[in-house]
Amino acid sequence: DIQMTQSPSSLSASVGDRVTITCRASQDITTDLGWYQQKPGKAPQRLIYAASTLQSGVPSRFSGSGSGTEFTLTISSLQPADFASYYCLQHNNYPWTFGQGTTVEFK
Amino acid sequence: QVQLVQSGAEVKKPGASVKLSCKTSGYRFISYYIMWVRQAPGQGLEWMGRVNPSDGGTIYAQQFQGRLTMTSDTSTSTVYMELSGLSPEDTAVFYCASFSSHFWDLWGLGTMVTVSS
């Protein structure tokens, strides 16, 4: 199975901060990776697909980069609506696997 | 309306089975895989498996092999997920999601399953 190591597990930040979350795959997954945001009590929703393509309707402050084994989700200027949990999901190889998640908290 | 409507909350005894439904609408049912994701209270997302509605083909995560069954019904555009041999560790919210590797992403609201004696 492909392991997705996501870091950090949590972070504290302020509105306006630049935030970076990383996922590392245990083997090459090309760009078969999505980033998801989940707010408490809600279903996840995808922000980024194919590692770097913004899902329709997602604010441009979100961006994704990487390929192979190293991937990054960046929020360029954190907004109040962005305090949530974030997960990566690889779908290159079965079983698909999520990262452990990153909770972005208010500093 | 494009949506996934999941069945209601369930309470089960240890050892029982649960069968959840995920009814799709507003798009071509056979176009996209449906995956199921488990989330235990306060925990992260866990991929359980996926079903291909066009041919019923399934892939399950190893940890659920032998007690997980996913099926699809093209006549009602509904996917089902049955999990047997429930234990308290299966207490979780279960999500279905219609998946494509590009642009398409649609999730149900989730179904809470509580396993308790």
Side-chain angles (χ1 to χ4, degrees):
Chain A
D1 297 3
I2 295 175
Q3 310 302 317
M4 301 301 296
T5 303
Q6 187 172 339
S7 62
S9 56
S10 66
L11 65 91
S12 298
S14 301
V15 172
D17 284 353
R18 183 181 182 88
V19 168
T20 299
I21 299 167
T22 298
C23 265
R24 179 176 293 113
S26 59
Q27 64 189 68
D28 188 344
I29 59 169
T30 65
T31 56
D32 294 334
L33 181 122
W35 287 98
Y36 292 79
Q37 178 192 66
Q38 186 183 31
K39 297 183 179 179
K42 301 293 187 183
Q45 63 176 37
R46 192 166 63 188
L47 304 173
I48 302 283
Y49 63 87
S52 61
T53 303
L54 203 62
Q55 199 80 27
S56 176
V58 173
S60 58
R61 63 181 178 272
F62 292 94
S63 64
S65 64
S67 66
T69 61
E70 293 278 340
F71 302 88
T72 299
L73 173 70
T74 300
I75 309 172
S76 60
S77 178
L78 196 67
Q79 298 301 302
D82 304 336
F83 291 95
S85 294
Y86 295 85
Y87 299 88
C88 60
L89 170 68
Q90 72 81 18
H91 53 87
N92 177 265
N93 214 344
Y94 290 113
W96 298 353
T97 41
F98 285 97
Q100 302 95 320
T102 297
T103 300
V104 177
E105 300 169 323
F106 183 71
K107 184 185 287 185
Chain B
Q1 187 176 0
V2 179
Q3 59 183 355
L4 303 181
V5 178
Q6 295 190 234
S7 49
E10 301 266 9
V11 179
K12 295 293 183 181
K13 301 277 191 208
S17 298
V18 69
K19 188 172 185 177
L20 307 182
S21 66
C22 174
K23 182 171 176 58
T24 76
S25 61
Y27 72 95
R28 191 165 178 249
F29 177 62
I30 62 171
S31 293
Y32 307 110
Y33 292 167
I34 297 287
M35 65 178 180
W36 287 86
V37 175
R38 182 172 77 171
Q39 187 170 39
Q43 302 301 307
L45 304 174
E46 181 179 26
W47 188 84
M48 300 179 69
R50 67 89 173 139
V51 58
N52 182 351
S54 68
D55 64 7
T58 55
I59 302 284
Y60 304 139
Q62 180 67 32
Q63 62 266 39
F64 298 105
Q65 290 281 356
R67 67 185 191 106
L68 176 60
T69 304
M70 296 180 186
T71 55
S72 64
D73 182 347
T74 54
S75 68
T76 60
S77 300
T78 302
V79 168
Y80 298 91
M81 187 278 290
E82 184 170 23
L83 189 63
S84 62
L86 292 171
S87 71
E89 290 68 41
D90 292 312
T91 294
V93 176
F94 292 81
Y95 293 101
C96 63
S98 180
F99 178 89
S100 167
S101 60
H102 289 72
F103 76 84
W104 179 264
D105 175 62
L106 183 65
W107 288 69
L109 297 182
T111 296
M112 181 71 207
V113 176
T114 303
V115 184
S116 174
S117 55

